[in-house]
Structure formats: C-alpha cells, structure tokens
Amino acid sequence: MMKTLIFSSRTMKEIIRDPISLFFGLAFPVILLILLTLINKNIPTNQFDIVYLTPGIAVFGLSFMALFAGQIIAKDRTSEFLTRLFTTPMKAKDFILGYTFPLLPMAFIQIVLCFVVALFLGMEFTFAIIITILSILPIGVVFICSGLLLGSILSEKAVGGVCGALLTNVTAWFSGAWFDVELVGGIFEKIAYVLPFFHAVEVGRAGMTGQYAAMFPDLWWVLGYSIVISILAVYVFRKKMSL
Amino acid sequence: MIAIMTEKLSKEYGEIKAVDEVSIQVNKGEVFSLLGMNGAGKSTLIKMLCCLVKPSGGKAAILGHDVMNETSQVKQVIAVAPQETAIAPNLTVYENLELMAGIHGFLKKEKTRKVNEMMNTFSLYPFGKQKGKTLSGGWKRRLSIAMALVSEPDILFLDEPTVGLDLLARRELWGVIKDLKNKVTIILTTHYLEEAESLSDRICILQKGKIKALGTVDELIDETSTTTFEDAFVHLVMEESV
C-alpha cells in the first residue's frame, strides 16, 4: 500500500504541475459554462439552461481525464521511466492504483467546480446537486480507465490525438451536451445511445430535476462501461508489464 | 563470487534470434561491458537479465536468483539506468530520488539519509529544487544513475549511459562510473569503444546475438594480433562480415 501511495503522490504532482492539464481540466469547462450561459441570456434556449447545461459540461470536462491519464502513462513509457520502475519491487496493482487514485479526486473536484460556478451563474442550490455530482462520477472512471488503456498501448503523440482530439470530440457530439441528439436522428442517434456519454448526461439531468428513478436505465449503461473498461485497462497494463 | 550467470540464454522474435545461446559469468564488483553494432542483442540481453523480457531458452541467474522464476528477489538486488533518461519530469531532483527510495521501501529517516548521500555523491545539491525536465542532458544522466543507486543495488545496469552527451559531460560521467568500481557490479552497454576500453574490466563483443569475443582489453588485442582496441574491435566485427 505504501508503494501505491508514494506513486500516487508522484502522479498527482506531475499533473498539477502541468499548467496545460490544469487549464483543460479545471478552467476550460468553467469557461465554456460561463460562455454558454451568457449566450443563453441573449438567445434563450432550453439546451443552454443552467440546470440542463451543467451536467453536460461536467461530463464533457471529464473527457480530459482520459488525456491526463493517457499522456502521463505514455510519457512514462517513452522516457523509459516505466522501464526503470518495472525493475523495482512495485507490483501491477501499485502502478494501476497509483495512476488512477489521484485522478479520481481530481475528477470529483472538476465536477464540483462546474456546479459551484453554476451556482454563481444563478442555479438554485438543492440536495439534487449532491446526488447529481455523485451520479456523474462513474463516467469519470470510464475516462480515466480509457486513458490508462490507451496510454499503455499508444505513443504520447497518438494519445494526444486519440484522447485529446478524438475522444473529447466524440464526447461533445454524442453526449447531447450541446444539442439534442434526437434532432439529428438516424445512425447518429443510434451511436449516441450505444456510447456511454449520452447516458452519463441523461443521468445528470435526471438527477438535477429530482427524477432519481429515471436515472437508472442510463446509469446502468455508464456503470457497465466503467466496469468493462476498467477490467480491460487492468488486463492490458498487466500484460504489458508481465514477463 | 559470481554476480551474474547465463547459460545458453536466447531470445527469439519469430524467425529472428535477437540473443543466441549466450553464456557469460560476471564477477561481483566487476565492470562488464557489452559492445556491438546496432541490433547485436545488447539491450535484449540486459532486458532479460532485468526481468523485462522473457527468455526463449536457456538460463540466467542474478546472485543465484533465477530471472524467470524469482523475479521479486532479482528486483530487490538490481537497478537500471535505461537508455532514455527515465526521470519524472515535473518532480524536482530531490523528489525524484525520494520517490525511488520510497518505492524501494526505505522508511523516512533512512530515505532522507540515502537521498542526501546521492545528492552529495553526484554533486546534485545546487539542482535539488530544480525540476527534472529543466536539467541539461549530462545532469539528467547523473540524476538517472543516482536514482538507480539510491536503492543500494548489488548490480547496476547502465544502458548506453553517455549517448548524446558532449565530450566533457561524458568524461564527467566516466568519473562517476569509475568511482563505483568494486562497490557495485556494473553491466554497461555502449557504442563508444573508448568508453568500454576506459571503464571495463572485461568486454563482451556481441554480433548478431552471439558472443563474438570476450575478455579484457589486452586479451582482445592479443587475440586479434592488433595494436589498439579499436583495431581489435574492427577486426572481430569485420571478420564475420567478410
């Protein structure tokens, strides 16, 4: 356990000392929330209503967790830092938990920050906010483990492309955070329903309106994805470090 | 006492034999260099000895521990300074050393003592609070070796430690490696002939995964009836090519 904590502390320092990570992780979603709220004041639309918008932005903001996780692992591979560590008494669990532990509180802080800013932008404080924050966390696990998985197999540059550009865009398009996927319809809508992002936003929106029972079909999707991707990430990482 | 023993150690990638039945014995406290052209099998051999790559055949033991079945024991006694600098870029020099000491299980007081010892030995004090990524190539290498030594290993693997360094930085690092002689068993891979000549007790020349020659610098010169180590190396390597 001591090795896990020591390695977690190192991961945390690497992330918080990188200003680009901090900008995209914390500031960028907040800026988007503020901008879209301002747009909503001038051109009122239900899509950008603060209660409706905040869970969507929180989910989109979490997509950057995959980039942080993926890049730090890919960098550690490229610089052979992982090679060095693989020759120490550290076990696979120390690495996996050491990479994921610091990102979970960071994901939590990011979601909370979005909601705190939303409160300043006029959202009313209710108990539903706490439930919503907790219900959004599982999609954070999906993103963190996607980063662990992709960082284990891709180069640093490829991780930047796949996690930083592709995954964030896919999240933005198919989550329904910016526009109603039903309006697009067809294959686009079907893909959105298969992926976890739309369901994560729906969970958040159901939570915000106090419809807790309505969270569940969507929450199962997200939890299912988080379990499958976690298992896959752990399997691939262990395979990479085993003899 | 024998520190490293391999017996017909081999590694195949499909049809390619990266390491082909290599049998060596390295004595404790010795600086043993692996020399060869690109693709000769130096790095693969080191990776097998460090439990990073699974051998396809043969045997290898580190201080009596089998590298395939006793990896935990092997990892307790070895340390590696890989070809890349392998440091945590956003951690300070002090934190990098502290991290490695912590991972190896040193408790607080002992950890501080070891880290300070490495800072002192490698003259790292002026850079203690500087982030790893801001160091020059030479200082990154120094830190890399210090990070490997902080765990007090019995065997140190140095994979091309001076590649990419200028002449002065290289000579400085040679001094560091010379100071470690007889304290730690060192396995060194390098492309630089003068480096191997200056630092090694014995040199193993690998070619196409096989041992081409093994001995002290003088033995290799005598064996090839040449006058310099460079000529001896060229003679040995060209022999096969011709």
Side-chain angles (χ1 to χ4, degrees):
Chain A
M1 193 62 190
M2 190 55 82
K3 291 185 186 77
T4 304
L5 292 176
I6 290 167
F7 193 60
S8 295
S9 157
R10 175 264 162 173
T11 306
M12 179 67 101
K13 282 177 189 163
E14 286 285 348
I15 293 169
I16 61 174
R17 288 178 187 177
D18 181 358
I20 296 170
S21 296
L22 280 185
F23 175 77
F24 280 102
L26 300 177
F28 187 55
V30 167
I31 292 168
L32 278 178
L33 191 61
I34 294 168
L35 281 177
L36 292 173
T37 307
L38 289 174
I39 290 171
N40 192 48
K41 277 186 181 157
N42 295 322
I43 317 159
T45 158
N46 186 41
Q47 189 74 30
F48 292 164
D49 181 274
I50 193 80
V51 172
Y52 201 69
L53 181 67
T54 310
I57 295 286
V59 169
F60 172 69
L62 286 175
S63 66
F64 290 100
M65 289 293 151
L67 180 66
F68 304 156
Q71 274 200 322
I72 195 162
I73 297 165
K75 267 184 202 170
D76 284 351
R77 280 177 44 232
T78 314
S79 70
E80 292 196 317
F81 187 63
L82 262 185
T83 304
R84 181 197 290 282
L85 295 180
F86 282 170
T87 63
T88 69
M90 280 178 79
K91 307 274 184 223
K93 71 168 175 52
D94 297 318
F95 286 103
I96 292 160
L97 295 176
Y99 279 124
T100 48
F101 265 1
L103 289 163
L104 285 172
M106 211 172 148
F108 180 72
I109 291 166
Q110 193 188 74
I111 302 168
V112 170
L113 191 66
C114 273
F115 280 86
V116 168
V117 172
L119 288 173
F120 280 106
L121 293 170
M123 191 169 72
E124 195 184 333
F125 180 78
T126 61
F127 179 70
I129 290 179
I130 295 164
I131 299 291
T132 307
I133 287 172
L134 294 175
S135 69
I136 290 174
L137 263 178
I139 193 70
V141 175
V142 172
F143 287 123
I144 292 166
C145 290
S146 300
L148 181 64
L149 175 66
L150 294 166
S152 302
I153 51 177
L154 299 177
S155 68
E156 192 187 339
K157 200 176 167 188
V159 165
V162 175
C163 295
L166 188 64
L167 189 61
T168 49
N169 272 292
V170 167
T171 307
W173 297 338
F174 292 105
S175 65
W178 318 100
F179 51 85
D180 195 338
V181 293
E182 279 180 26
L183 290 177
V184 184
I187 187 86
F188 186 93
E189 189 184 357
K190 283 183 184 142
I191 294 171
Y193 291 156
V194 171
L195 295 172
F197 319 117
F198 171 80
H199 299 288
V201 174
E202 285 299 297
V203 168
R205 285 173 179 163
M208 283 302 292
T209 50
Q211 297 169 291
Y212 303 130
M215 292 163 81
F216 271 91
D218 294 301
L219 193 54
W220 291 132
W221 270 94
V222 183
L223 287 171
Y225 263 97
S226 65
I227 291 166
V228 170
I229 292 181
S230 304
I231 292 170
L232 197 61
V234 169
Y235 173 77
V236 171
F237 191 88
R238 289 183 79 106
K239 200 159 173 58
K240 282 269 170 186
M241 81 170 286
S242 64
L243 257 182
Chain B
M1 188 184 172
I2 292 167
I4 299 172
M5 184 280 299
T6 74
E7 205 179 299
K8 293 189 173 180
L9 192 65
S10 304
K11 180 67 194 175
E12 291 167 17
Y13 294 102
E15 300 276 291
I16 300 162
K17 286 185 174 177
V19 174
D20 192 4
E21 298 196 346
V22 168
S23 300
I24 52 169
Q25 285 193 347
V26 180
N27 301 314
K28 214 172 174 185
E30 192 176 12
V31 177
F32 187 89
S33 289
L34 295 170
L35 207 59
M37 309 297 277
N38 283 337
K42 308 182 294 287
S43 291
T44 308
L45 180 55
I46 278 199
K47 280 179 180 162
M48 285 193 283
L49 295 174
C50 295
C51 311
L52 290 168
V53 167
K54 192 177 181 176
S56 309
K59 283 195 285 187
I62 304 281
L63 292 172
H65 302 296
D66 186 285
V67 296
M68 279 169 80
N69 302 315
E70 295 173 274
T71 53
S72 298
Q73 289 93 326
V74 170
K75 287 177 180 184
Q76 293 287 350
V77 295
I78 64 164
V80 181
Q83 214 172 92
E84 297 293 328
T85 43
I87 58 174
N90 282 320
L91 258 56
T92 65
V93 167
Y94 193 91
E95 286 170 340
N96 265 291
L97 291 167
E98 212 176 25
L99 170 73
M100 293 309 293
I103 283 171
H104 279 277
F106 287 103
L107 297 175
K108 205 175 177 213
K109 207 173 165 186
E110 185 68 357
K111 188 163 73 178
T112 309
R113 185 190 67 78
K114 274 309 299 175
V115 170
N116 285 325
E117 189 186 317
M118 287 300 119
M119 295 282 287
N120 194 31
T121 307
F122 288 86
S123 310
L124 288 164
Y125 271 116
F127 309 100
K129 288 181 180 171
Q130 206 169 313
K131 281 184 188 170
K133 65 181 177 187
T134 64
L135 297 172
S136 69
W139 285 101
K140 276 183 185 163
R141 296 274 173 193
R142 267 181 186 249
L143 174 59
S144 176
I145 297 174
M147 284 167 75
L149 286 170
V150 81
S151 63
E152 298 179 335
D154 292 303
I155 296 163
L156 174 65
F157 292 91
L158 296 175
D159 197 1
E160 303 201 15
T162 62
V163 73
L165 297 186
D166 62 40
L167 185 69
L168 287 179
R170 188 180 301 162
R171 287 296 165 102
E172 269 188 14
L173 212 57
W174 286 9
V176 170
I177 296 168
K178 277 177 181 165
D179 287 344
L180 294 171
K181 260 192 171 183
N182 300 318
K183 295 176 195 157
V184 185
T185 307
I186 297 176
I187 308 296
L188 174 82
T189 73
T190 180
H191 272 111
Y192 302 116
L193 300 181
E194 74 277 22
E195 185 165 290
E197 188 178 3
S198 166
L199 299 174
S200 318
D201 294 310
R202 284 189 302 150
I203 296 169
C204 174
I205 297 174
L206 289 172
Q207 193 174 34
K208 294 178 184 170
K210 285 179 182 285
I211 295 178
K212 184 72 192 167
L214 199 162
T216 62
V217 170
D218 291 338
E219 283 168 355
L220 294 174
I221 290 171
D222 286 347
E223 192 182 315
T224 51
S225 307
T226 50
T227 50
T228 64
F229 179 60
E230 190 176 323
D231 288 341
F233 178 78
V234 171
H235 181 92
L236 286 162
V237 173
M238 291 296 283
E239 209 173 50
E240 181 84 4
S241 310
V242 173

